[in-house]
Amino acid sequence: VFFGGCAVGKWLQQSHPDQEMSFVQNMNSGAIAGVFTTAVMVPGERIKCLLQVQQAGHAPSGVHYDGPMDVVKKLYKQGGIASIYRGTAATLLRDIPASAAYLSVYEFLKQKFAGEENRGKLSPGATLLAGGLAGIANWSVCIPADVLKSRLQTAPEGKYPGGVRDVFREIMREEGPKALFKGFTPVMLRAFPANAACFFGLELSLSIFKYFLH
């Protein structure tokens, strides 16, 4: 969905199929893709976060989930579709700028590493490096919004009637700005290899498609 959204974003901005995208245009494409992925990400993140806090012993009192489908059933019974999609605004706040950084940094590094005479063709090592650094750029932008989103999605019903704004006020009042960057080190340790593998898989898949289509 993300890379399909990026393709739509490029198509909307290109005057012809072979047009080279600028850094800002790639940011726009990534931002559009961030909107596309929200429909998939919100319920998945809500389920994941609730199961993770339950495993850590911090789930809302009196609620126990037996697995992902049980989460969906209980959330729907509790508040309908709105409960399953709680955190949509917070996810958009996270994914639009993060996805903009993700794609633009990758495409920028891809061009730099390939050079003018070898435009668009990267070695496997350069692809892994560009993808890993793009992942770091992505998470550098989105960690504060991700903290807000996770707090909102795992809170008991009605705790934050004002949504993500109430979460932000509470964190600033009780924990301070540093709390917005909780988990920074493990997130960054994961970001490089996970996204290096992601973009390597993307480029490998595109190469295979091009080989068979031609």
Side-chain angles (χ1 to χ4, degrees):
V1 172
F2 173 76
F3 289 113
C6 290
V8 170
K10 289 181 179 180
W11 175 75
L12 289 171
Q13 297 177 90
Q14 285 176 323
S15 56
H16 58 85
D18 296 323
Q19 179 184 330
E20 287 288 330
M21 304 294 287
S22 68
F23 186 84
V24 172
Q25 286 175 321
N26 281 321
M27 285 185 69
N28 294 336
S29 298
I32 290 169
V35 176
F36 275 57
T37 59
T38 298
V40 179
M41 294 294 288
V42 176
E45 291 269 315
R46 177 101 154 102
I47 293 164
K48 173 184 74 71
C49 289
L50 284 170
L51 289 173
Q52 284 178 327
V53 295
Q54 174 175 278
Q55 191 69 24
H58 302 303
S61 59
V63 181
H64 177 79
Y65 302 110
D66 295 322
M69 290 309 299
D70 190 47
V71 176
V72 173
K73 290 175 185 175
K74 287 177 178 173
L75 289 179
Y76 186 80
K77 185 177 180 181
Q78 189 178 55
I81 293 294
S83 182
I84 294 171
Y85 272 85
R86 186 206 288 179
T88 298
T91 304
L92 286 169
L93 185 66
R94 180 192 72 172
D95 286 357
I96 289 176
S99 297
Y102 192 44
L103 182 68
S104 59
V105 168
Y106 177 71
E107 291 293 344
F108 173 78
L109 293 175
K110 185 178 175 181
Q111 290 180 5
K112 288 295 181 183
F113 293 161
E116 289 296 323
E117 66 284 348
N118 199 26
R119 187 180 294 269
K121 294 181 180 179
L122 286 183
S123 67
T127 300
L128 289 168
L129 181 59
L133 292 173
I136 287 176
N138 175 21
W139 280 99
S140 296
V141 170
C142 77
I143 283 181
D146 187 63
V147 170
L148 296 173
K149 177 199 69 66
S150 297
R151 292 279 185 100
L152 178 62
Q153 289 185 318
T154 57
E157 288 289 335
K159 183 177 180 181
Y160 300 113
V164 70
R165 288 173 295 180
D166 284 356
V167 182
F168 179 75
R169 291 189 193 105
E170 181 185 80
I171 289 176
M172 291 297 100
R173 183 177 66 250
E174 298 183 4
E175 302 173 62
K178 285 186 179 180
L180 293 173
F181 290 90
K182 280 187 175 179
F184 183 86
T185 300
V187 163
M188 288 304 169
L189 289 174
R190 183 192 70 174
F192 190 95
N195 292 286
C198 175
F199 276 107
F200 183 80
L202 171 71
E203 297 293 352
L204 179 62
S205 298
L206 291 174
S207 297
I208 292 170
F209 292 153
K210 287 175 184 176
Y211 175 80
F212 283 106
L213 288 173
H214 290 85

